[in-house]
Amino acid sequence: MKQKIFVYGTLRKGMYNYDLYLKDEDSFRQYGYIKGSLMTIRGKAYPAYITEGQDMILGEIHEVSEKTLKLIDEMEGYFGKGNPNNEYNKEICDIYDENNQIIDQAYVYVFNMDNRRNVSALENDIESHDYVKYIQEIKRNEKTYSIDE
């Protein structure tokens, strides 16, 4: 049986975990938004989604097999409902369109704010509310230009 997940970070199309977990499954269904906040995590190359806040976070709805979902659970540090060691909790959330209308519900990996290590690792708000765009901006800013003058 297929399960719907909403991805907002490294599992999005074009990102490295998409290629590892979703590319071969033809899982993409549509774009959407979740409400909350998207933040950077100190020392990590992936974002934290927290439910506090009203920002519209861009992401994608995918439909995946149980096998793929278990692999993603492992990658996301999800050990089971209510486990205090979870890096992310897996929760059913409303998914919105650009007009703020609910279009679906899906599993979302929510940063576990009950884990003290997680809370202390949060850094900055991703102001674009779009992790792919955020990474593209970083890459543009990291380009070095030689001065020929």
Side-chain angles (χ1 to χ4, degrees):
M1 184 173 149
K2 298 272 187 175
Q3 296 287 332
K4 288 183 184 176
I5 61 171
F6 180 87
V7 299
Y8 52 83
T10 63
L11 285 165
R12 285 185 52 198
K13 291 191 299 181
M15 301 298 288
Y16 62 92
N17 277 328
Y18 172 83
D19 290 341
L20 292 172
Y21 294 91
L22 299 174
K23 183 178 181 182
D24 294 334
E25 196 160 334
D26 188 32
S27 61
F28 176 79
R29 297 299 174 257
Q30 71 184 89
Y31 290 100
Y33 299 86
I34 50 177
K35 291 183 181 179
S37 298
L38 193 61
M39 301 186 73
T40 60
I41 308 169
R42 184 176 33 266
K44 304 291 184 180
Y46 52 85
Y49 164 68
I50 57 175
T51 56
E52 290 78 26
Q54 288 297 311
D55 295 333
M56 297 290 279
I57 311 301
L58 179 63
E60 304 163 1
I61 299 171
H62 289 260
E63 227 173 325
V64 300
S65 67
E66 290 287 337
K67 179 182 175 186
T68 298
L69 188 62
K70 284 185 170 117
L71 292 170
I72 293 171
D73 284 350
E74 188 175 303
M75 184 266 299
E76 297 284 7
Y78 176 73
F79 304 108
K81 186 174 180 140
N83 188 315
N85 296 317
N86 287 343
E87 182 171 17
Y88 290 84
N89 293 317
K90 187 169 64 175
E91 301 176 12
I92 294 282
C93 295
D94 291 333
I95 312 301
Y96 299 85
D97 66 13
E98 62 277 352
N99 297 316
N100 204 25
Q101 300 298 309
I102 296 173
I103 56 170
D104 212 336
Q105 289 189 320
Y107 282 116
V108 178
Y109 291 92
V110 178
F111 203 57
N112 182 6
M113 297 298 285
D114 292 330
N115 182 324
R116 279 184 259 172
R117 288 182 317 233
N118 283 359
V119 175
S120 65
L122 287 176
E123 286 192 314
N124 302 311
D125 186 50
I126 297 174
E127 293 179 15
S128 66
H129 318 304
D130 178 341
Y131 188 69
V132 172
K133 184 177 179 181
Y134 170 78
I135 292 299
Q136 290 169 343
E137 289 169 359
I138 287 175
K139 287 180 179 178
R140 263 195 307 275
N141 292 337
E142 286 180 349
K143 286 184 180 176
T144 56
Y145 299 96
S146 62
I147 300 174
D148 296 357
E149 300 167 0

